[in-house]
């Protein structure tokens, strides 16, 4: 009997074995996701968090964060601040959240946040635009007193300004708080990022590679070949070609504005008659056609903002030429305007990282020629360095003029007398007084009215020429088909890039 039982058990085991072997098993293969590769026109050159526009670059690369930031719904949010309380005209109190960390695992507390903000305020004059030099003082581990030099009604907005990033010094360089950290940097060429393990949901992220590609034809080829998952800021022509190939292309309101900065201190643009003539002789619709999108500017802000201008730009070539004639600029035998033996010639500059501006430059050359104006052009890599030399007459410039959702920061930077980005050497008592008034106003009808009034004064004085409220194009691989850029290029690499 025992032999029979033993035989039956062995037979059963054999049956189970062969059945199991006959089943098809799905083997789970664990593979590492390939990095997301982004092509754009720039990569940061040096990790200097208080130098010029570098903090903006660090944030758009996903390395740093401002104290407050703008989410994709336009709300001001913070990973660091629980509560903001105003105690009097110039003083505020920040209550910090606990447990938020730098990328080295140390906590962001009152001492580290106050040190970072005070360092920014001392070393980067661009941070002083809205409320002067702001001072931060630790009260306890999670409380900071804030004292502004000039009155402001919205400290959250000030703390979202792109200069105001959180950082500290480490043994091997600066340490930040963004969703990524540097794995490798080839300055101004490429940047490889890996997840910051101390940022929420870091396990869901993989590596990101950013490549600087300023030539749009090369950008297109790299995207078509599959080398890039994202081609950010491609020209309308390239965008159209990729769409025709069935590629995914997102077209967005940039939030930026394209405008001409004029050197009103020296040279030909110090003559307001010349500025008025050029303003009248530029047909902005030509730029819209060349860019295959966007809108003619009506001021200094994207037209979806409530504080956008109400300026109606006039194009009148005959009137432009008449102004120049009356100002003594007569056409010579070569079709150029001349006065007292001097040709009416301007130095026109723009820069590589904004391809649309080079398109506008080409159209503008033909428009200036119709007015008998000679133009000498230059395309540079660092436009802010060139602007400081004051050797230009006209710069084609691009700027997100309301990255925090309100107008104060930009207007103070560019148009306050001695403002930190007042490249035009512009000074207006009326504008300065209106800017002072804005600092006393909460966001609402009166502030909106004041912002519009400033834009009218600027259009009358012409330190800048309003040009285009643009659209931008972003090509995306199938992998990134759900990616939605927002706030222009302020958050290209963000915590939601990997989904």
């Amino acid at each position: 009997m025992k032999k029979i039982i033993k035989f039956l058990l062995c037979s059963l085991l054999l049956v189970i074995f062969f059945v199991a072997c006959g089943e098809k098993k799905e083997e789970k293969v664990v593979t590492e996701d390939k990095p997301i590769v982004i092509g754009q026109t720039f990569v940061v050159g040096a990790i200097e968090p208080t130098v010029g526009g570098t903090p903006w670059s660090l944030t758009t690369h996903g390395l740093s964060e401002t104290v407050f930031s703008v989410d994709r719904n336009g709300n001001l949010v913070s990973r660091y601040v629980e509560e903001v309380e105003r105690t009097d005209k110039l003083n505020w109190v920040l209550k910090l959240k606990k447990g938020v960390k730098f990328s080295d695992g140390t906590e962001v507390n009152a001492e580290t946040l106050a040190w970072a903000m005070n360092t920014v305020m001392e070393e980067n004059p661009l941070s002083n635009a809205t409320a002067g030099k702001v001072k931060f003082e630790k009260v306890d581990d999670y409380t900071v007193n804030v004292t502004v030099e000039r009155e402001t009604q919205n400290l959250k907005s000030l703390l979202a300004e792109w200069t105001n990033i959180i950082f500290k010094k480490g043994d091997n360089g600066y340490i930040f708080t963004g969703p990524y950290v540097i794995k490798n940097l080839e300055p101004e060429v490429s940047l490889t990022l890996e997840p910051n393990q101390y940022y929420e949901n870091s396990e869901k992220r993989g590596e990101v590679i950013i490549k600087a590609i300023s030539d749009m034809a090369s950008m297109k080829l790299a995207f078509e070949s599959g080398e890039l998952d994202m081609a950010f800021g491609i020209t309308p022509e390239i965008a159209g070609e990729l769409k025709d190939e069935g590629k995914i292309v997102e077209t967005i309101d940039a939030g930026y504005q394209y405008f001409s900065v004029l050197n009103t201190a020296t040279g030909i643009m110090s003559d307001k008659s010349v500025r008025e003539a050029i303003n009248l002789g530029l047909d902005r619709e030509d730029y819209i056609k060349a860019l295959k999108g966007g809108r003619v500017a009506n001021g200094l802000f994207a037209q979806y903002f409530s504080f956008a201008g109400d300026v109606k730009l006039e194009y009148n070539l005959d009137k432009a030429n008449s102004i120049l004639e009356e100002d003594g600029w007569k056409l010579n035998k070569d079709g150029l305007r001349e006065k007292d033996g001097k040709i009416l010639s301007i130095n026109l500059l723009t820069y590589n990282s904004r391809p649309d501006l080079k398109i506008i430059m080409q159209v503008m050359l033909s428009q200036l020629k119709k007015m008998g104006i000679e133009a000498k052009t230059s395309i540079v890599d660092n436009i802010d360095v060139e602007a400081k030399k004051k050797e230009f007459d006209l710069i084609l410039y691009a700027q997100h003029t309301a990255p925090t959702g309100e107008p104060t920061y930009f207007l103070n930077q560019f148009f306050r007398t001695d403002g930190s980005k007042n490249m035009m050497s512009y000074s207006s008592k009326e504008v300065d007084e209106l800017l002072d008034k804005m600092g006393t106003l909460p966001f609402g009808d009166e502030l909106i009215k004041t912002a519009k009034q400033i834009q009218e004064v600027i259009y009358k004085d012409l330190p800048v020429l309003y040009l285009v409220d643009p659209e931008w194009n972003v090509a995306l691989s199938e992998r990134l088909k759900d990616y939605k850029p927002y706030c222009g290029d302020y958050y290209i690499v963000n915590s939601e890039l990997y989904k």
Side-chain angles (χ1 to χ4, degrees):
M1 186 71 180
K2 288 181 179 178
K3 288 183 179 180
I4 294 171
I5 292 171
K6 187 175 181 181
F7 173 78
L8 290 172
L9 286 171
C10 290
S11 299
L12 181 61
L13 288 170
L14 286 170
V15 170
I16 292 171
F17 173 79
F18 284 115
V19 169
C21 288
E23 288 179 351
K24 290 184 179 179
K25 286 187 176 180
E26 288 188 11
E27 187 178 356
K28 187 176 181 180
V29 180
V30 178
T31 59
E32 184 178 351
D33 284 341
K34 288 168 34 176
I36 289 174
V37 184
I38 299 171
Q40 56 188 66
T41 57
F42 68 94
V43 163
V44 69
I47 309 303
E48 296 289 351
T50 62
V51 175
T54 302
W56 168 80
S57 299
L58 297 174
T59 300
T60 191
H61 289 343
L63 295 168
S64 65
E65 291 184 331
T66 46
V67 181
F68 276 80
S69 57
V70 180
D71 68 15
R72 60 179 63 256
N73 296 316
N75 301 311
L76 287 169
V77 297
S78 179
R79 294 177 62 236
Y80 312 96
V81 178
E82 190 75 55
E83 182 183 338
V84 178
E85 179 186 357
R86 189 175 191 178
T87 56
D88 61 38
K89 182 177 178 180
L90 298 178
N91 288 282
W92 304 70
V93 174
L94 303 180
K95 296 289 187 180
L96 305 188
K97 298 177 182 179
K98 297 179 181 180
V100 185
K101 295 180 178 181
F102 287 95
S103 62
D104 66 350
T106 57
E107 190 175 37
V108 177
N109 55 28
E111 183 176 353
T112 54
L113 187 141
W115 179 87
M117 291 300 100
N118 285 328
T119 303
V120 167
M121 291 290 157
E122 288 293 332
E123 297 184 7
N124 193 342
L126 296 172
S127 68
N128 304 157
T130 299
K133 194 174 288 185
V134 183
K135 294 182 180 179
F136 296 77
E137 181 182 4
K138 172 188 171 182
V139 176
D140 59 39
D141 285 349
Y142 300 101
T143 307
V144 178
N145 274 345
V146 182
T147 303
V148 297
E149 190 174 23
R150 278 197 313 271
E151 189 175 357
T152 182
Q153 302 301 307
N154 191 342
L155 191 68
K156 290 182 180 180
S157 180
L158 185 151
L159 293 174
E161 292 168 2
W162 54 262
T163 50
N164 301 332
I165 62 173
I166 298 173
F167 68 98
K168 69 174 188 173
K169 288 182 178 178
D171 293 337
N172 299 310
Y174 292 103
I175 299 168
F176 302 98
T177 60
Y180 291 90
V181 297
I182 295 174
K183 182 177 182 180
N184 184 63
L185 171 64
E186 187 176 352
E188 300 182 359
V189 176
S190 67
L191 173 63
T192 302
L193 305 167
E194 57 188 7
N196 169 7
Q197 63 179 311
Y198 297 101
Y199 198 102
E200 297 90 342
N201 302 314
S202 63
E203 70 282 356
K204 296 181 180 180
R205 301 183 191 99
E207 287 190 1
V208 177
I209 299 172
I210 305 172
K211 297 184 177 183
I213 307 173
S214 59
D215 179 71
M216 288 294 104
S218 299
M219 182 94 80
K220 180 191 175 193
L221 288 173
F223 183 78
E224 288 175 322
S225 70
E227 178 185 343
L228 302 179
D229 293 295
M230 183 192 306
F232 197 100
I234 53 177
T235 60
E237 182 181 5
I238 297 295
E241 292 172 359
L242 291 175
K243 284 180 181 178
D244 290 343
E245 294 172 13
K247 306 293 186 184
I248 302 170
V249 178
E250 287 279 342
T251 300
I252 62 171
D253 283 316
Y256 276 65
Q257 294 293 283
Y258 297 159
F259 52 94
S260 294
V261 172
L262 306 180
N263 183 355
T264 65
T266 61
I268 194 64
M269 292 301 179
S270 62
D271 184 342
K272 190 179 178 185
S273 294
V274 173
R275 302 201 303 270
E276 290 176 340
I278 292 176
N279 184 54
L280 284 166
L282 300 180
D283 187 353
R284 276 71 164 184
E285 290 291 349
D286 289 346
Y287 308 145
I288 305 304
K289 292 173 186 174
L291 295 172
K292 299 180 180 178
R295 292 160 293 277
V296 172
N298 61 358
L300 289 163
F301 300 98
Q303 292 174 30
Y304 56 77
F305 286 116
S306 58
F307 46 82
D310 296 320
V311 175
K312 303 296 183 185
L313 299 183
E314 180 185 0
Y315 169 60
N316 190 325
L317 183 58
D318 291 337
K319 188 175 179 180
N321 283 321
S322 294
I323 290 173
L324 292 173
E325 286 282 338
E326 292 168 8
D327 200 38
W329 293 101
K330 307 297 183 181
L331 287 173
N332 63 20
K333 59 182 178 60
D334 298 317
L336 295 175
R337 295 202 175 270
E338 187 176 340
K339 181 166 73 170
D340 300 328
K342 180 182 178 181
I343 298 294
L344 180 49
S345 179
I346 65 172
N347 292 318
L348 199 164
L349 274 66
T350 195
Y351 49 112
N352 278 311
S353 62
R354 300 296 177 196
D356 283 358
L357 298 181
K358 292 187 278 188
I359 294 172
I360 293 175
M361 175 184 272
Q362 291 304 313
V363 177
M364 187 176 286
L365 285 175
S366 65
Q367 294 175 331
L368 292 170
K369 187 176 181 180
K370 290 178 182 178
M371 289 181 268
I373 299 174
E374 178 184 69
K376 299 173 183 177
T377 62
S378 297
I379 299 173
V380 301
D381 290 322
N382 192 325
I383 194 64
D384 291 323
V385 169
E386 294 299 320
K388 287 178 181 177
K389 296 177 183 177
K390 298 293 184 181
E391 296 173 356
F392 70 93
D393 294 310
L394 185 154
I395 290 175
L396 289 173
Y397 205 81
Q399 179 87 9
H400 196 315
T401 52
T404 64
E406 63 91 54
T408 308
Y409 182 44
F410 169 76
L411 292 175
N412 274 287
Q413 270 195 331
F414 276 75
F415 300 103
R416 183 179 284 278
T417 300
D418 298 325
S420 53
K421 290 202 79 170
N422 188 343
M423 298 173 278
M424 308 81 64
S425 302
Y426 176 63
S427 180
S428 166
K429 182 180 178 182
E430 183 179 7
V431 168
D432 287 346
E433 289 174 350
L434 288 169
L435 289 171
D436 288 341
K437 178 182 177 182
M438 285 185 77
T440 69
L441 299 172
F443 190 87
D445 291 344
E446 189 63 24
L447 184 141
I448 289 168
K449 178 182 175 182
T450 305
K452 289 176 179 288
Q453 189 176 352
I454 290 172
Q455 291 170 83
E456 292 286 350
V457 175
I458 289 167
Y459 185 61
K460 178 190 70 177
D461 293 344
L462 295 175
V464 299
L465 306 180
Y466 305 155
L467 298 178
V468 176
D469 180 9
E471 293 175 333
W472 281 357
N473 298 287
V474 184
L476 302 168
S477 69
E478 188 66 26
R479 182 183 186 185
L480 293 182
K481 64 181 179 181
D482 294 325
Y483 176 86
K484 300 295 182 186
Y486 68 101
C487 201
D489 54 3
Y490 271 58
Y491 307 107
I492 296 177
V493 179
N494 58 59
S495 61
E496 300 174 353
L497 186 61
Y498 273 87
K499 284 192 174 180

